[in-house]
Amino acid sequence: MSYVAEVFENLKAKHPNEPEFLEAAERILSSLDPIVEKNEDVYRKNALLERFVEPERIITFRVPWTDDKGVNHVNLGYRVQFNSAIGPYKGGLRFHPSVTQSILKFLGMEQILKNSLTGLPIGGGKGGSDFDPHGKSDAEVMRFCQSFMTELFKYIGKDTDVPAGDIGVGGREVGYLYGQYKRLTGLYEGVLTGKGLSFGGSLARPEATGYGLVYITDEMVKAAGKTLEGTTIAVSGSGNVAQYAIQKATELGAKVVTCSDSNGYVYDPNGINFDVLCQIKQVERARISEYAKRVPGSEYHEGERPWGVKCDIALPCATQNEINGEDAKKLLANGCWAVAEGANMPSDSDAIDAYLAAKILYMPAKASNAGGVAVSALEMSQNSERLSWTFEEVDGKLKDIMTNIYKNVAAAAKKYGYEGNFVVGANIAGFEKVADAMLAQGLV
Ligand code: NDP
């Protein structure tokens, strides 16, 4: 049995109830085969893979809070501190009923490789709660965030672990979390990113993941001798990542014809109107079905995902496993020739196999959605300097980072004999730096 297979078999035996984590670990480990084979003796001697697949620590806690009617609730809170070999733990907090330790471990493992790809000094972490912010009042969300932070603050700090937002955690939640951290510690420090501009946030952070996704897609498409201009794009989701991906893609001359939420998707043959979308999602926090009521010519499809629509490029920006093998087949049959992932692990294994077999351009999440964490790291730099950079400065750095990620991913794929396979390229390019740092730091 190969070293990679051995490590995976042991992991499966230890964590049989963590399907999402095992799926991510299997995908990552199998694509590392080429680099592991070359370095097997050193890696084995240092138990490198055995350490790489286990988080350094996981913190679990209860989060009691009271709703507006005076009823008490208890949710679960987590922080997975996955790997600090290349910097303080960094990664978002997710508030969603589907959150489990397995999901956070999968996201933490992805995060360490993603953070490494940015070239910035940040390790990997992830956290969150099974709390559902949908339908909660501002006061309820605030009480929940305060209770969550009352436990979490013991384990984070500007040089140890710097959380950010993710699904269900946007500017409002980060504000409440930051306020409680400051109240408990008395410290005014960059312990969270995605903060409001008035208290240490970075310009271009809200836009970063969506813009970064479009920047790297543009690089990938150009390298293949094509252009984004004039293409038709299908986007899923209508949250932070989707909104700004839609805005930037439209600005670069593409037509984005879909977006969605967990209830259904909207098709707008004239191109999704960014202002209407932001009004519905950022201001009113309403369902995406509202869009079709307001924009003539658009249609709402309840209970469906947008992958049956004809498009050149698909940008999944909602959640994990939102494109399965059947969806991928539909996309390919409709002429889709590129997929770049805004969400984390939106394509399941069958979908990825279908993309690779069809040899379409496919950029996996850890490379294509790294723009958010990259600008979070730039927010940390600005907080340390006690300076704020202009929007253009941050956006320019983001663009350079995404261009470099594309180049490094493409180069690693080629170096290890998998030219054009960005799954292998992204995993190896991210892993190389983490592995070097772990080896240098000894058995810790
Ligand atoms: P938001 O909470 O802002 O938006 C999430 C969107 O996805 C919403 O439209 C939501 O619809 C939809 N969605 C969530 N769960 C499901 C589901 N089970 N089925 C269908 N649709 C669903 O989150 P973000 O935009 O921040 O995050 C989206 C993805 O991008 C996530 O995978 C996240 O991990 C990833 N990501 C985000 C980064 C960031 O900077 N924000 C950075 C890197 C990755 P509804 O409102 O109905 O729930």
Side-chain angles (χ1 to χ4, degrees), residues 94 134 166 168 205 209 238-241 261-262 287 318 343-344 369:
R94 175 176 293 192
H134 284 114
D166 187 63
R205 175 61 188 90
T209 309
S238 51
N240 173 264
V241 180
D261 61 21
S262 47
R287 307 312 298 157
N344 282 310
N369 71 20

Side-chain angles (χ1 to χ4, degrees), residues 6 103 121 152-153 192 195 202 209 223 246 258 272 289 344 423:
E6 220 175 273
I103 289 196
L152 185 70
F153 90 97
L192 288 158
K195 297 186 292 298
S202 174
T209 309
I246 290 170
T258 62
I272 298 290
S289 50
N344 282 310
V423 177

Side-chain angles (χ1 to χ4, degrees), residues 94-96 98 106-107 111 114 126 132 134 164-170 205-210 236-243 260-264 281 286-288 305 316-320 322 341-346 365 368-373 376:
R94 175 176 293 192
F95 291 170
H96 194 274
S98 65
F106 120 60
L107 291 165
Q111 193 80 44
K114 178 188 311 193
K126 200 81 193 183
D132 184 0
H134 284 114
D166 187 63
I167 292 180
V169 179
R205 175 61 188 90
E207 292 84 354
T209 309
S236 64
S238 51
N240 173 264
V241 180
Q243 289 162 16
S260 67
D261 61 21
S262 47
N263 293 99
K281 285 293 171 183
R287 307 312 298 157
I288 200 62
R305 295 183 289 208
C317 297
T319 193
Q320 64 270 5
E322 55 166 316
E341 298 178 333
N344 282 310
M345 207 166 88
S368 50
N369 71 20
V373 76
S376 276

